[in-house]
Amino acid sequence: MNQYPLWKNLLVAFVLLVGLLYALPNVFSQDPVIEVSAARGEKVSETTKMAVVNALQRADVPIKADKMLDDGRLQIRFSDSEDQLKARTVVAKALPPDYTSALSISPDLPGWMSAIGGRPMNLGLDLRGGIHVLIDVDMEAAIETAVERYSGSVKTALRGETIRYVSVKESGTSIEVRFKDAQTRDRAEEVLGEELRDLDMSSADEGGSYFIRLVMSPDREREVRKLALSQNITTLRNRVNALGVSEPIIQQQGDRRIVVELPGVQDPAQVKGLLEATATLEYRLVHAGPAEAIEAKASGRAPAGSKLYAERDGTPILLKRQVIVTGDQMTGASSGFDQQSGQPAVIVNLDSNGARRMRDTTTDNVGKPMAVVFKEKRTVSRDAEGKPVRQWVEEVINVATIREPFGARFQTTGLDSPQEAHELALLLRAGALAAPIEIVEERTIGPTLGQDNIDQGMISVAVGLLAVMIVMAIYYKAFGLVANLALVANLVLIVAVMSILQATLTVPGIAGIVLTVGMAVDANVLIYERIREELGVGSTPQASIHSGYERAFSSILDANVTTLIAAVVLFSVGSGPVRGFAVTLAVGILTSMFTALLGTRAVVNLIYGGRRVQKLAI
């Protein structure tokens, strides 16, 4: 009686062993490192690596190790933070302008541990230090801009068909077009119905005037809001990547806000300047062929009416000075495939003014190449102190031939792969924010405060665990010691699961662990009290153990399921630290049920099972 089959004992032992293995990386120290990355995801070259290492050696900055990571970044490891800070300036001076460096930390794990995927838990901003920014996206402005674009499209469509109208008025999410007679209104209705299929259209006669009302449907309104939010997230992510921050978090919160968390960054002015920076793009006609461009680059003088640019691979190209359209006239860009050739393509949408200029230009230049110039404020060099020097940089990201005249909507083909089309669409969308943003919350957490939070959190866990273990050992004797083993195993499993999931540990997360310690022992208290009751009514020790675990199970399950539901709700509606608490709580509930029910039962069975017992130490 009270014996587990062998497979169940092996299962408990296997889970505990795996948990111990994957919790182990959190014991190893984390070294300060500098990570060097090239622009646009390219790999760091061997030449750059040697230049950085040699610069550090000349500056007498000791390096613990250096290696190339799988994603092409260079990681330089140091023994302490003082060497890391000294190296920061040296590395910044040694790097070419299109490289960035970021301070970070990395665990010093043995090779075999890394090989099996062992990694420590991620530390949240409140434990690691950094900057937290909450951004509100002005959705009303996004809707207003969309209605303005539609209004311009209405005017363009009517003028294109030489349909005269009295007025075009915007009101909220609707546009009202007034005509003098019903015949003209009916013609306009046909044209607008064909051009603006996204809008709900209706007609009316009031006071001798004839109207068409175009209203943005709720689905289209939601789509505009969603597009504005996603484009702003893409733009902000590109800008943060340019900052060279390691492991940044840029994610949506609710339906109009964006959370930006930058670990290790301590300069809020730099971050705000970056987030509020501007970038744009321009469409220009190509002025002359490659030979003239090479000659212009060699002589340093571009022909009259042209300007010398460089493509992303460094190839010179001459473009006309006259700009066809700019990025603020672009309303969207998405990747797809050409319906005729099946080649990867990028589909671009322009507003009414941009569409008119584009149509006029392309009508006169069919068969000629047109280029897309991306302009952004970028770090181009570093001053004597290693601080970045930023200025506008222009580069040609795409050149395509005009096949036929086009206006508001056109596509760019000639791309090598769907991935290139996707990246080009991202670049086009990343040029400017889709809607104005406002920083509504900003917090800077110093690294010292983060370390204090870690120390205090660990102390609270240790004190809570020790207090519970003492009480359990005194009150329940041998069974209390078994519960204490389960508590320690539960703590190990929580850390292991969070490490495997790469969940982020925050200060509220530590509170969740402390809470779980108390909840985990609560299950054992229920079981042990049931065993005492059975002993009190005269049951044998073996029968009391069996009944204690069987009858307490439903109570334990009910209590943990209800708490688990609360954790799921917290995770669903909460954000940041609240989610961290919810994750820790949910993981703790599951692991505590395993250790309290299966773990302690296995140990109790090993001690008392399969033999005659006269008395229980409980």
Side-chain angles (χ1 to χ4, degrees), residues 42 64 92 96 103 114 213 221 313 344 384 432 455 544 588 602:
E42 296 180 0
K64 186 174 180 181
L103 303 185
S114 300
R213 288 194 176 89
E221 191 175 336
D313 60 359
D455 296 340
S544 300

Side-chain angles (χ1 to χ4, degrees), residues 281-286 319-329 350-351 353-363 365 368-373 400 402 406-407 410:
L281 55 87
E282 297 172 348
Y283 283 84
R284 295 170 183 259
L285 287 171
V286 175
L319 304 183
K320 290 185 180 297
R321 285 191 172 276
Q322 185 179 7
V323 178
I324 305 171
V325 295
T326 56
D328 58 348
Q329 295 171 309
L350 299 176
D351 64 9
N353 292 329
R356 187 175 62 255
R357 288 180 60 85
M358 183 63 81
R359 184 176 295 280
D360 293 343
T361 303
T362 54
T363 301
N365 295 278
K368 296 180 180 178
M370 183 174 65
V372 184
V373 182
I402 303 170
F406 51 80
F410 59 93

